Amino acid sequence: MRSTQIRSTFLDFFTSRGHRQVPSSPLIPSDPTLLLANAGMNQFKPYFLGEVTPEYRRATTIQKCARTSDIENVGRTNRHATFFEMMGNFSFGNYFKADAIAYAWELLTQGYDLEKDRLWITVYEDDDEAEQLWRKIGVPAERIQRLGMEDNYWSMGVPGPCGPCSEVNYDRGPAFGREGGPAVDGERYVEIWNLVFMQYQRGEGDKKGNFPILGELAQQSIDTGLGLDRLAAILQDVENVCTTDLLMPTMNTVRELAGRDYPGNGEEKVSFQVVTEHARSIAYLIADGVLPSKDGRGYVLRRLMRRAIRHARLLGIDQPVLAPATASVIANLGDVWPELTDQANLIEQVVTAEEDSFTRTLTQGTRLLNAAITRTRESHSGSLPGETAFELADTYGFPLELTVEAAHDAGLTVDEDRFATLLDEQRKRAKTGGKAKTAEALRRQDTYRELSAHLPRTDFLGFEHLTSEVTVLGLISGGAVTTSAPEGSDIEFVLDRSPFYAEAGGQVGDTGTLRTEDGTLLRITNTQYGLEGFRVHSARVLEGELRTGARGEATVDADRRKGLMRSHSATHILHAVVRATLGEHARQQGSLVESDRLRFDFAHFSAVTPDQLARIEAAVNGHVLDDPAVRAWHADRAEAEAAGAIALFGEKYGDTVRIVDIGDFSRELCGGTHVAHGSQVGTFRLLSEGSIGSNLRRIEALTGHGALRHQDTERRLLDEVSALLGTRPQNAPASLSKRLEALATTQKQLAHLRDAELRSQAEQIASAYRNVPGGRIITQRVPSLGAADLRSLATNTVSHLGEDVAVVVLGTERDGKALLVAAITPGVLATGTEAADILASAARAVGGGTGGTGPVASAGGRRVEALDEALTVAAKEATCMLDR
């Protein structure tokens, strides 16, 4: 059974049993506690927690998932992967254990025709009910095993919904391992389907992975996950996930690049599978908007890419591997996952640029490693320091495995224990910072959850109204729910309805005022989502005391909102123009929409040229002047995508979406506020364009009043410059150019005169040398000179002394600082003495330090009164050194 039929069989089975088919969410989750989507239930978390009431009580999905916790097992087992499709069915308070178990058994044994006597079941150690249900359905007791929390209790790994689970495992036979069931051998008895009985909520865990159960969820629900890869391997009777129809075309590409067949075992087999499996993960991550970077999900992608490249090199593949490998993923799976095809150009350019960069890294790392190996040998040590290995890995991205391998070839070991210690310290530092942020986010969410448990969702009126009569339903002060807040308090509050737009989609939240019937006045400083559909207003109580239940009038800052609308519409226009100018890959990766100002991040691989920037700015203003109509409409997600609406990376959308059209050139899913006609943007002024990370660019621009103010400032500056030049504004560039050319000519002439003067002065100083045992010395205080001129004077002086063994030390006072320069002839340098050695004591005398190596050194300090003393000290030092 091919993977396409496996998917359709699963979806048909559950949709025919009343489940709503829900599209996969992106790999970039909306949940701030998750780095990447790692389970089918992620997008349904608010439903399980009871924060949002779903439109349906049963759902089925095929969810894209990325997990790197088992990355080291990829290629070493038959079942592990960093990307997989999780087929799942879900119940939100509708059915529970009995139906979930019955559905799973029926689909596996009838829909997929798996042999019943090869199916083994594990249940949580205390779950008597689950075991009885399996026995009732026909599974004998000897094929049901009870396991502990580590194996049969599920959570996302962070606070949230959780519960005991029951896993269905398939016996692949004696060729795959030992007898004894899944408790004995996970390779032979491979887990294919996990049924989670979602009924509890967990808290933050400790270092050992233990976590408290905070209580029961409002309703018992079901979350299941059937791994497509593993089931495909069984139904297609192949050894592992890389030899199913999901990955075999990519494996064949790797085989062609390596010039040999895929081996049955050994380290080469591991490398073949790593390159193959990681290529799929890489393609999907980039298609969903992840780009390589130094941290977060971008680092996950970079790690996968570098690991794949390294294993390709181990296979002897010296040519680019990621571009052809990901291209085979797109060709094989693009029909099922159209985002792969849509982002094919982006994927190719990202992997090509990253592989080029890492190839240079490997070259540089190899050079540094060879130098470290030489130093280690010269020190007669048999072990390369862990600090060296860590620096190579952390600073230069050079993998530890390559360091160990190269050291071994040189007859050395690597202090891997020290490396592990340094790595652990780094991880703890990163984890501490990350945990603090996560803990704060979770604390705030808990407070919002407490408040929202008895409050309705906010009715948003802001598309039509900027003022409305409202009632204060909930109040938060100092991070805790309260009923009142006195004058001067900084608070958060929730209204029954609100004209205030909550920050989303890049658009910042509205500000304004709330005046209650009893005269209390609040300045609203921000509006954000506490939970989905739950608007939280941040404010300061300016007058009076605010109490829950208070009624009043909420008013949005109208001028600021208009500026936000101008910028948001301009962002949509800019997005369309950037794609038209640079290519479809140049899609929006992020944005910040402020009043009359915007920031736009997009995928691209080189600096945008001045000509391209000029065309982009002109095209945006051209669209604005054409005054296109701006229209918002609603449709279901599938209809919107069929109509060509662009969904932005990382944004979360429901089943029904809002689409914003600007003319016939821009159509995006968007929940933000916009102008009614393009001309209301006013004008668009591009300020800057630059890199903000690997393959990621940023444009900053002004709109409306912001652009007009900027243009007015530039006009006034031009008028001032023109007046100073004594010419008209249109002639200012040419006039300034002529003056700069004349200035440059004059500066060159002055420099030549200065050089001649210094050479003449050097000749005079050189004649004043005095003989000491072993050579000649000149120490002299000269009139005020800058550091560069003093250095030039010293080197010119020493050159006049020819090949003699001589030392020149000059000192001067400049801008309240004592400056010293020492210059020595090659004869002195040959004795092992450097100029800095002569100035060391003199530098301390003037309260400073030395700089420079070899024949010339400088020193400086604030003790100007000690300059003559310092020259005397330097003369004594030079005399001693020459007399050795």
Side-chain angles (χ1 to χ4, degrees):
M1 186 182 287
R2 293 184 60 79
S3 56
T4 51
Q5 189 178 350
I6 298 173
R7 293 189 194 92
S8 62
T9 298
F10 186 90
L11 294 174
D12 290 347
F13 179 89
F14 283 105
T15 54
S16 69
R17 287 158 178 77
H19 291 67
R20 171 79 68 87
Q21 183 177 334
V22 179
S24 171
S25 65
L27 285 169
I28 299 177
S30 58
D31 188 333
T33 66
L34 288 176
L35 197 64
L36 293 165
N38 63 4
M41 61 76 62
N42 290 168
Q43 65 175 310
F44 302 122
K45 180 180 173 182
Y47 299 167
F48 288 120
L49 290 173
E51 296 171 355
V52 176
T53 301
E55 300 174 13
Y56 39 82
R57 303 296 296 279
R58 299 179 173 207
T60 183
T61 65
I62 298 179
Q63 173 66 44
K64 297 176 290 187
C65 296
R67 294 181 191 171
T68 56
S69 54
D70 292 318
I71 190 171
E72 299 299 333
N73 289 325
V74 172
R76 301 193 179 278
T77 72
N78 291 316
R79 67 188 193 277
H80 284 103
T82 57
F83 172 89
F84 53 92
E85 296 176 44
M86 183 70 82
M87 303 186 294
N89 60 288
F90 306 87
S91 163
F92 311 115
N94 184 256
Y95 61 83
F96 201 48
K97 292 183 184 180
D99 286 333
I101 288 171
Y103 285 148
W105 187 255
E106 181 183 356
L107 179 55
L108 290 176
T109 59
Q110 297 179 34
Y112 294 124
D113 201 26
L114 296 181
E115 300 132 287
K116 296 178 180 180
D117 59 2
R118 298 185 76 166
L119 296 175
W120 287 65
I121 308 299
T122 62
V123 298
Y124 183 54
E125 56 190 359
D126 294 336
D127 197 344
D128 297 332
E129 181 187 4
E131 179 177 357
Q132 291 304 315
L133 288 168
W134 283 114
R135 292 181 67 174
K136 183 178 178 181
I137 214 166
V139 181
E142 61 269 21
R143 291 212 308 276
I144 302 175
Q145 297 181 327
R146 292 185 182 231
L147 298 175
M149 180 168 282
E150 184 177 349
D151 296 291
N152 276 83
Y153 203 98
W154 192 91
S155 79
M156 293 191 301
V158 295
C162 65
C165 62
S166 180
E167 296 175 351
V168 183
N169 307 266
Y170 183 83
D171 180 4
R172 303 209 68 186
F176 287 84
R178 299 172 294 164
E179 292 186 3
V184 173
D185 194 325
E187 280 293 289
R188 172 173 171 172
Y189 302 90
V190 61
E191 174 207 337
I192 54 174
W193 204 341
N194 188 9
L195 314 178
V196 181
F197 310 128
M198 204 73 81
Q199 57 191 119
Y200 300 109
Q201 183 173 345
R202 61 159 283 187
E204 185 69 56
D206 60 22
K207 294 180 180 179
K208 296 181 180 179
N210 302 312
F211 52 81
I213 301 299
L214 303 180
E216 293 193 1
L217 298 173
Q219 56 188 10
Q220 294 180 331
S221 298
I222 289 294
D223 155 34
T224 86
L226 173 58
L228 175 61
D229 283 7
R230 297 182 183 184
L231 183 58
I234 292 167
L235 294 176
Q236 294 170 18
D237 194 23
V238 296
E239 182 185 40
N240 58 58
V241 297
C242 288
T243 49
T244 65
D245 68 328
L246 291 161
L247 282 171
M248 197 62 200
T250 304
M251 173 70 79
N252 289 335
T253 298
V254 179
R255 286 170 55 195
E256 291 173 8
L257 292 169
R260 56 185 180 277
D261 286 338
Y262 168 60
N265 50 54
E267 290 302 312
E268 278 199 354
K269 176 188 176 184
V270 173
S271 292
F272 267 106
Q273 289 186 215
V274 167
V275 179
T276 299
E277 194 281 330
H278 285 9
R280 178 176 61 171
S281 299
I282 291 162
Y284 277 89
L285 285 167
I286 297 172
D288 269 11
V290 181
L291 292 173
S293 64
K294 293 180 180 179
D295 50 29
R297 57 181 66 97
Y299 178 73
V300 171
L301 173 60
R302 176 163 283 168
R303 183 184 179 197
L304 289 168
M305 297 169 84
R306 292 186 167 185
R307 196 163 186 264
I309 295 166
R310 183 173 67 83
H311 278 274
R313 300 298 181 262
L314 293 176
L315 291 173
I317 303 174
D318 294 326
Q319 65 197 89
V321 67
L322 293 183
T326 52
S328 70
V329 173
I330 297 167
N332 185 39
L333 297 169
D335 288 343
V336 180
W337 299 99
E339 58 266 40
L340 291 173
T341 303
D342 293 343
Q343 300 302 322
N345 289 337
L346 175 64
I347 294 167
E348 179 184 9
Q349 294 186 56
V350 170
V351 299
T352 299
E354 189 70 13
E355 186 160 5
D356 287 345
S357 173
F358 188 50
T359 298
R360 291 192 296 272
T361 293
L362 287 175
T363 301
Q364 182 183 27
T366 300
R367 186 168 60 250
L368 294 169
L369 176 57
N370 289 339
I373 288 172
T374 299
R375 289 195 304 271
T376 303
R377 280 173 162 172
E378 290 174 348
S379 68
H380 305 293
S381 172
S383 178
L384 197 71
E387 285 81 1
T388 300
F390 181 76
E391 181 184 10
L392 284 166
D394 185 53
T395 305
Y396 301 101
F398 198 80
L400 174 65
E401 295 88 344
L402 288 186
T403 300
V404 172
E405 182 181 333
H408 181 267
D409 291 343
L412 302 173
T413 60
V414 176
D415 188 349
E416 294 188 57
D417 290 340
R418 178 58 178 161
F419 177 91
T421 298
L422 293 168
L423 183 62
D424 185 55
E425 290 173 357
Q426 183 192 61
R427 285 173 174 166
K428 284 179 179 176
R429 287 193 296 270
K431 194 172 184 181
T432 299
K435 271 191 172 182
K437 292 179 182 178
T438 300
E440 173 61 18
L442 291 170
R443 184 192 65 76
R444 292 175 68 88
Q445 282 194 330
D446 286 343
T447 305
Y448 297 148
R449 197 172 287 121
E450 176 188 349
L451 197 60
S452 69
H454 59 277
L455 297 181
R457 294 296 175 259
T458 311
D459 183 14
F460 177 58
L461 309 174
F463 287 133
E464 295 83 20
H465 305 285
L466 295 182
T467 301
S468 68
E469 298 299 319
V470 299
T471 301
V472 178
L473 299 182
L475 188 56
I476 297 172
S477 179
V481 177
T482 185
T483 57
S484 64
E487 186 173 307
S489 300
D490 291 317
I491 61 168
E492 295 177 309
F493 62 89
V494 177
L495 301 172
D496 60 337
R497 53 184 185 164
S498 173
F500 288 79
Y501 179 84
E503 180 178 333
Q507 181 175 332
V508 299
D510 278 334
T511 61
T513 59
L514 171 65
R515 172 75 77 173
T516 65
E517 292 175 343
D518 66 0
T520 298
L521 176 64
L522 287 87
R523 175 63 189 168
I524 298 173
T525 56
N526 197 9
T527 310
Q528 294 181 308
Y529 282 110
L531 301 170
E532 188 175 338
F534 189 73
R535 281 175 166 76
V536 176
H537 307 74
S538 300
R540 166 160 283 203
V541 184
L542 300 180
E543 301 173 10
E545 181 180 32
L546 184 68
R547 296 180 179 275
T548 54
R551 296 175 59 83
E553 184 177 73
T555 304
V556 174
D557 183 333
D559 289 339
R560 182 173 179 274
R561 167 69 84 81
K562 289 175 183 177
L564 289 168
M565 292 162 65
R566 285 190 285 266
S567 291
H568 205 152
S569 296
T571 301
H572 281 224
I573 297 172
L574 175 62
H575 189 192
V577 168
V578 166
R579 292 193 342 268
T581 304
L582 304 179
E584 278 298 317
H585 69 274
R587 291 202 171 199
Q588 180 175 331
Q589 301 293 316
S591 68
L592 177 63
V593 176
E594 297 180 307
S595 184
D596 292 331
R597 186 181 190 93
L598 66 90
R599 193 174 72 203
F600 179 78
D601 300 339
F602 60 100
H604 197 51
F605 317 98
S606 60
V608 184
T609 67
D611 177 64
Q612 288 172 325
L613 290 174
R615 282 159 43 203
I616 288 169
E617 185 178 62
V620 172
N621 281 310
H623 283 307
V624 169
L625 290 173
D626 287 341
D627 196 26
V630 180
R631 181 174 74 98
W633 51 287
H634 292 80
D636 63 52
R637 178 74 181 271
E639 180 185 351
E641 290 180 350
I646 293 176
L648 300 184
F649 291 139
E651 291 295 326
K652 184 176 181 180
Y653 303 101
D655 294 328
T656 300
V657 294
R658 182 172 180 262
I659 304 100
V660 174
D661 290 347
I662 302 181
D664 59 0
F665 58 87
S666 172
R667 172 169 286 175
E668 294 187 19
L669 304 188
C670 181
T673 63
H674 288 269
V675 297
H677 288 272
S679 61
Q680 292 174 340
V681 169
T683 188
F684 174 87
R685 186 64 185 271
L686 201 154
L687 290 180
S688 65
E689 187 276 340
S691 172
I692 56 169
S694 180
N695 309 315
L696 198 60
R697 313 292 300 180
R698 171 171 291 169
I699 283 175
E700 297 198 44
L702 299 174
T703 61
H705 293 300
L708 292 174
R709 284 192 296 269
H710 184 76
Q711 290 170 354
D712 184 56
T713 299
E714 287 187 329
R715 180 185 58 77
R716 285 188 284 103
L717 286 173
L718 179 57
D719 286 344
E720 289 178 20
V721 171
S722 301
L724 290 171
L725 292 170
T727 188
R728 295 179 178 179
Q730 59 266 34
N731 298 328
S735 178
L736 181 58
S737 178
K738 287 181 181 179
R739 294 202 181 195
L740 289 175
E741 287 176 6
L743 178 61
T745 300
T746 302
Q747 287 175 331
K748 285 181 182 179
Q749 292 171 345
L750 288 172
H752 288 313
L753 290 172
R754 186 61 175 157
D755 287 343
E757 181 184 348
L758 289 173
R759 285 195 300 272
S760 175
Q761 189 177 358
E763 188 174 358
Q764 294 175 6
I765 294 173
S767 65
Y769 67 84
R770 57 191 177 90
N771 289 312
V772 297
R776 296 175 174 180
I777 290 179
I778 295 173
T779 56
Q780 187 170 321
R781 180 169 182 158
V782 296
S784 179
L785 290 176
D789 283 348
L790 186 65
R791 185 183 182 91
S792 178
L793 182 60
T795 55
N796 278 325
T797 300
V798 86
S799 68
H800 280 292
L801 297 174
E803 298 299 322
D804 291 331
V805 176
V807 174
V808 174
V809 180
L810 303 179
T812 192
E813 178 185 346
R814 184 66 175 257
D815 298 330
K817 188 176 181 181
L819 302 177
L820 294 160
V821 172
I824 60 178
T825 59
V828 179
L829 192 63
T831 67
T833 297
E834 294 193 357
D837 300 330
I838 295 168
L839 282 186
S841 298
R844 287 194 291 272
V846 296
T850 61
T853 59
V856 184
S858 304
R862 291 292 178 185
R863 295 187 61 205
V864 177
E865 70 278 6
L867 178 57
D868 291 332
E869 177 191 346
L871 287 168
T872 301
V873 169
K876 290 180 180 178
E877 200 72 42
T879 301
C880 292
M881 290 184 178
L882 291 178
D883 193 28
R884 286 177 179 173

